[in-house]
Amino acid sequence: MKFKYTILYVKDVTSTLDFFKRAFGFDQQFLHESGDYGELSTGSTTLSFSAFNLMKDLGKSPAQAQAHAPVFEMAFESNDVRSDLARALEAGAVLQQDIREESWGQTTAYVIDPNGFLIEICSPVAS
């Protein structure tokens, strides 16, 4: 078994894909002709987005992400946290935590995307 993909529920798949391309440099892997489902190429695991209305049509009851009370975070590893944080902010992310050097040997910063998802931009852990 392997971890294949994560699907996040959003209001607007197309604008979300555009944000993640601009903010983090990911390539769009797929967008369904309906615009209700799309994928980004992020390495060995695919990051996917599905529209709320599609999930409701499939009998699910998705909830909006809450930036003030996140239940998960995404972490994107970077060799240049400062530059990648600046790019994310320029693309419309909101700063949650500025760059910080952690005691375990990692540089971290946190942003909130336009959907309310918490995203960590971090360096590899120093060994």
Side-chain angles (χ1 to χ4, degrees):
M1 189 176 298
K2 68 178 181 177
F3 183 28
K4 179 63 177 161
Y5 54 89
T6 295
I7 303 172
L8 303 177
Y9 303 150
V10 299
K11 182 177 181 182
D12 186 328
V13 172
T14 303
S15 67
T16 299
L17 291 173
D18 182 60
F19 168 78
F20 275 80
K21 290 188 297 186
R22 290 182 295 111
F24 305 108
F26 297 129
D27 292 326
Q28 182 174 306
Q29 183 170 291
F30 174 77
L31 177 61
H32 188 269
E33 62 189 32
S34 68
D36 285 341
Y37 179 81
E39 299 177 346
L40 294 171
S41 179
T42 61
S44 60
T45 302
T46 300
L47 181 57
S48 306
F49 302 95
S50 185
F52 286 127
N53 61 318
L54 175 60
M55 292 296 94
K56 289 177 185 172
D57 289 347
L58 295 174
K60 296 187 173 53
S61 301
Q64 180 76 36
Q66 298 181 43
H68 66 281
V71 296
F72 71 91
E73 70 182 62
M74 289 178 272
F76 299 140
E77 191 174 81
S78 166
N79 290 320
D80 189 349
V81 173
R82 186 167 306 281
S83 293
D84 288 329
L85 173 61
R87 179 173 62 183
L89 295 173
E90 185 176 309
V94 175
L95 185 65
Q96 176 71 18
Q97 174 205 295
D98 206 351
I99 294 174
R100 186 166 72 193
E101 300 299 324
E102 304 294 359
S103 61
W104 55 86
Q106 189 177 40
T107 302
T108 64
Y110 286 83
V111 297
I112 304 293
D113 91 323
N115 297 292
F117 298 126
L118 180 63
I119 300 169
E120 177 184 14
I121 302 169
C122 59
S123 68
V125 176
S127 49

